[in-house]
Amino acid sequence: MAAQTVASTTESTVDLGPAAALSCRECGHRVPLGPVFACEECFGPLEIAYDFSAYDTEELRKRIEAGPANIWRYAPLLPVPADVADKPNINPGWTALVKADNLARELGVDAGKLFVKDDSGNPTHSFKDRVVAQALEAARAFGFTTLSCSSTGNLAGAVGAAAARAGFRSCVFIPHDLEQGKVVMAAIYGGELVGIEGNYDDVNRFCSELIGDPAGEGWGFVNVNLRPYYAEGSKTLAYEICEQLGWRLPDQLVVPIASGSQLTKIDKGLQELIKLGLVEDKPYKIFGAQALGCSPVSTAFKAGHDVVRPQKPDTIAKSLAIGNPADGPYVLDIARRTGGAVEDVTDEQVVEAIKLLARTEGVFAETAGGVTVGVTKKLIESGTLDPSKTTVVLNTGDGLKTLDAVAGTGLTATIRPSLDSFREAGLV
Ligand SMILES: Cc1ncc(COP(=O)(O)O)c(C=O)c1O
Ligand SMILES: [Zn+2]
């Protein structure tokens, strides 16, 4: 099927479970499910519209709780077929919600109130496995055989792994100068990995051109023509956090921002749980986190602007280095509507925060996790985040992929294999 096909009937013919159609976020125009991402009326982003009308709250809760220990326990709320758990996929999710009492003590948060959702525990060690698992099901439904993406690093690895498991070809595009851990991770699964001379925004522009060219025909770009499906994977973070809190909403969440997709879908997931009656209807605040060296959304938030002015990224938090974030304006809406904020931290604060989280909770975060922990600290110090309320901070990736950020961390001492030498080293 051609990548840019717009289906012409009004009925969806593929089976993606409760997904009924695509609907424009701006004007509400509906089209059938297909590999399209922009509204033909107003160019607004298309989102999945669901039919959840048949669900009984208690039956749904029981069905979820009896489901597998991965994102497919939420299949009734996702654009996937009912038998999704039987298909070859990377089956991410159900990652640890770490009760972070040591970190809470350091940050002045009340005991029992601070949690880290640790998504480094996914198959390719980042939250991107959640979104790719959804995109893969859509690609299968639409008959694609090649998976592709533009990536700041983590997505490329997730696509490579999912394609390998499901027997798809993959060809993914990254900025040429990414961290070695991300490059190896993206290449190891045997797909094609192309470095582009430029930053992520250049990679993304290239992919938009490729998608309209015969060279890209028949390719499922997970974050372009499959974006409406892909994006829904981030809702599972919201579902898991609430279920792991005993079907309760947290009061505050701190979420990293690159394109902003994850943050907007976490909000969508929380809203769905409220509407379905799975959690009580009470306010929550969403805080966005960026690195100062790529902070187009926090800059707009602080200036009170509705539009996000693109920036040229320069930060060690490369996974978040998107200078022109597609969902930036929606992130601003959500932060303002919920009473949250968008804040940024310097690269030095990112490194300090990576070390703080590791030292207090035994969680080794990649730079994106350093951004969220660093921003949490800053928001507490400024009195913006309430330390007496239940707060969930996201760690979306694994520190082993960004070792350069903590270069210099290593041996305490080198000794001869003798007790004398150990004593001489001054460690007893
Ligand atoms: C580790 C990590 N965290 C967070 C994000 C942000 O995702 P989004 O583009 O949905 O804002 C990314 C994006 O690449 C990422 O790699
Ligand atoms: Zn529209």
Side-chain angles (χ1 to χ4, degrees), residues 127-128 152 154 256-262 319-320 322 366 368 396-397:
F127 96 98
K128 291 291 182 181
T152 58
N154 285 309
I257 302 166
S259 73
S261 170
Q262 182 190 34
S319 56
L320 303 183
I322 297 186
E366 78 135 88
T396 47

Side-chain angles (χ1 to χ4, degrees), residues 23-30 38-46:
S23 146
C24 173
R25 188 160 179 154
E26 291 296 328
C27 76
H29 178 67
R30 276 166 83 105
C39 175
E40 58 199 348
E41 300 289 323
C42 76
F43 299 109
L46 295 174

